[in-house]
Amino acid sequence: MLEEKIYPADNNLSYSTHFMDFKGSSIPSSMKKLVVTKLSQNFRDAVALQTVPVPTPGDGDLLVRNRFVGINASDINYSAGRYDPSVKPPFDAGFEGIGEVVGLGLSASARYTIGDTVAYFADGTVPVPAVKPEFLTLLLSGATAYIAMKRLGDLVKGETVLVTAAAGGTGQFAVQFAKQAGCHVVGTCSSNEKAGFLKTIGCDRPINYTSEDLSTTLRKEYPQGLDVVYESIGGRMFDMAVNNLANEGRLIVIGFISVYQTATGVPTVKGGTLPMKLLQKSASVRGFFLPHFLSDYKEAMGSMMQMFAKGKLVCEVDCGDMAPEGRFMGLESVFRAVDYMYAGKNVGKVVVEVTPPSLDSKLWFALMGMHWNSQTNLMYVCTMKGTMKIQNLMYVCTLK
């Protein structure tokens, strides 16, 4: 039951002031957030860490104390202004997070209460049973693989499926969903460690392209070609995928990370020969962009949550524990996490822990040998109407 706080009459106060400060959670007056101050594909040049007032949630908003935020390849596309050229700096950076509700508006209280745990991204909030980073992996990375494979893959038992960047945030899910469909799964990766991980999630043939030639291996071991390719790298990898498609093969393009850090972000494709190659094999290239498939999102999340609860879905998280400077802790480590992902070091989804648990925070700091500072336990207000941005520790969500 919510504890109602009485405030002096003030027409400028939101209804949400009645539902704040869960169990003495010490909501600070200010917080940090990441802001795109200039358009650039260089994330460090484009984005600045700023201190701003903690926003007050409106009538339909949730105020969420961020615990974890997800790192995505498209963070660079967003900071470069490639998704919506009409949006000019400054604007907030990022896409997704997970945490506890510590404040909410009157209308929002019909669906949520103080203390609820939620994950959020641009197009909505998702109630989750616990603030675990594994749930964060499902919002964009898992949903992309689930919906793309279901809607565009047309998977048939016994087919051969290639997943590029298979040990990455979304690749790990594409491998598992293809395997669940009864397919033979091939996965590309850049290290023996990643190849070992891929075997644990059902990949039949991991290929470490740093130690063996990918094209040679595919031609030798899969002479009939690839029925489905889940492709996120672009460039030479895209060309290789096209050249190795089977008759009636389907190539699903979910991205082309190899060129995101270039000035244009546009891949070079041998378009002159592409129509002929597709025609000769009755093959197809299919693009997938998650915002175009939001009608499938609820079913996808529900199915994945059930699979995870039953132990039938691995949601690998990489919080940088093996990174040279250690675990990604605090909002400032987002920069390091982006570099880490683009260096291809991650196994699974890259996640940053921005704050310790909201309850017993002082004890947590003491156990970690850290000095408590109320400004460290920050928050973020998430507005869910329109394009979302991943921000700092507290986030205000406007419910639809």
Side-chain angles (χ1 to χ4, degrees):
M1 195 170 170
L2 295 178
E3 177 182 353
E4 182 174 353
K5 293 188 176 183
I6 307 300
Y7 293 86
D10 187 339
N11 292 332
N12 294 321
L13 285 179
S14 163
Y15 282 120
S16 60
T17 55
H18 293 276
F19 309 104
M20 300 282 281
D21 199 18
F22 171 59
K23 295 184 179 179
S25 58
S26 303
I27 298 175
S29 59
S30 63
M31 68 179 191
K32 296 177 182 178
K33 71 174 180 177
L34 295 175
V35 179
V36 177
T37 57
K38 71 174 184 178
L39 299 182
S40 173
Q41 74 280 2
N42 185 316
F43 193 78
R44 288 181 179 271
D45 288 346
V47 179
L49 185 64
Q50 298 183 355
T51 299
V52 298
V54 170
T56 299
D59 181 57
D61 295 345
L62 302 178
L63 183 65
V64 178
R65 186 187 304 274
N66 276 343
R67 286 287 316 286
F68 298 96
V69 294
I71 304 300
N72 296 278
S74 292
D75 288 333
I76 283 180
N77 286 333
Y78 199 67
S79 70
R82 291 169 181 158
Y83 285 160
D84 187 353
S86 68
V87 178
K88 305 299 180 184
F91 54 86
D92 299 321
F95 295 103
E96 58 186 345
I98 186 172
E100 304 99 351
V101 176
V102 294
L104 71 167
L106 186 61
S107 296
S109 67
R111 293 171 54 191
Y112 291 92
T113 187
I114 300 295
D116 283 351
T117 54
V118 296
Y120 62 82
F121 81 114
D123 291 280
T125 55
V126 180
V128 292
V131 183
K132 291 184 176 181
E134 287 80 4
F135 292 118
L136 188 56
T137 69
L138 302 177
L139 292 182
L140 297 178
S141 300
T144 294
Y146 183 97
I147 300 171
M149 284 297 199
K150 183 175 181 180
R151 290 286 304 275
L152 304 182
D154 298 329
L155 300 180
V156 176
K157 184 177 181 180
E159 289 188 322
T160 298
V161 176
L162 172 68
V163 179
T164 64
T170 188
Q172 63 170 325
F173 293 107
V175 167
Q176 294 177 79
F177 297 144
K179 192 62 183 177
Q180 290 173 10
C183 298
H184 177 91
V185 184
V186 184
T188 70
C189 61
S190 59
S191 70
N192 290 333
E193 175 196 6
K194 293 182 179 182
F197 165 69
L198 289 177
K199 289 181 180 179
T200 68
I201 61 172
C203 184
D204 298 287
R205 179 59 165 98
I207 302 177
N208 178 357
Y209 55 78
T210 66
S211 60
E212 59 181 309
D213 184 78
L214 179 58
S215 294
T216 300
T217 299
L218 290 176
R219 287 195 302 270
K220 179 181 178 181
E221 299 183 18
Y222 303 97
Q224 299 303 312
L226 307 166
D227 298 295
V228 177
V229 180
Y230 184 83
E231 218 296 271
S232 60
I233 298 178
R236 294 179 61 186
M237 188 67 76
F238 175 87
D239 294 334
M240 179 279 305
V242 170
N243 292 336
N244 286 276
L245 281 175
N247 290 340
E248 299 184 40
R250 290 85 70 196
L251 171 54
I252 306 172
V253 177
I254 66 153
F256 27 91
I257 191 174
S258 63
V259 296
Y260 288 170
Q261 292 180 298
T262 65
T264 64
V266 178
T268 300
V269 178
K270 297 177 181 177
T273 60
L274 182 60
M276 178 187 67
K277 290 179 178 179
L278 297 178
L279 179 62
Q280 287 176 336
K281 298 179 179 180
S282 296
S284 60
V285 176
R286 307 175 179 187
F288 179 88
F289 189 44
L290 183 59
H292 297 156
F293 293 84
L294 293 181
S295 60
D296 298 272
Y297 192 80
K298 183 177 180 180
E299 187 274 329
M301 284 300 299
S303 180
M304 290 188 294
M305 293 279 279
Q306 287 185 5
M307 283 188 280
F308 180 67
K310 295 177 180 178
K312 296 182 178 180
L313 186 65
V314 174
C315 302
E316 187 71 13
V317 173
D318 192 333
C319 288
D321 293 294
M322 303 304 294
E325 297 178 51
R327 188 177 179 87
F328 302 131
M329 291 287 297
L331 195 64
E332 60 280 356
S333 69
V334 166
F335 298 97
R336 192 160 56 88
V338 170
D339 291 341
Y340 177 81
M341 181 193 62
Y342 269 90
K345 302 296 184 181
N346 60 298
V347 177
K349 172 86 173 184
V350 180
V351 172
V352 173
E353 184 172 5
V354 290
T355 50
S358 60
L359 300 181
D360 301 322
S361 294
K362 294 182 181 180
L363 175 60
W364 186 93
F365 269 73
L367 291 174
M368 295 297 292
M370 299 170 66
H371 176 67
W372 168 260
N373 182 324
S374 63
Q375 294 304 307
T376 305
N377 201 14
L378 300 178
M379 311 175 184
Y380 177 67
V381 180
C382 136
T383 301
M384 305 303 285
K385 289 182 178 178
T387 302
M388 182 195 116
K389 311 133 192 203
I390 192 184
Q391 299 167 51
N392 34 9
L393 304 184
M394 259 195 170
Y395 191 72
V396 172
C397 304
T398 298
L399 305 176
K400 292 183 176 180

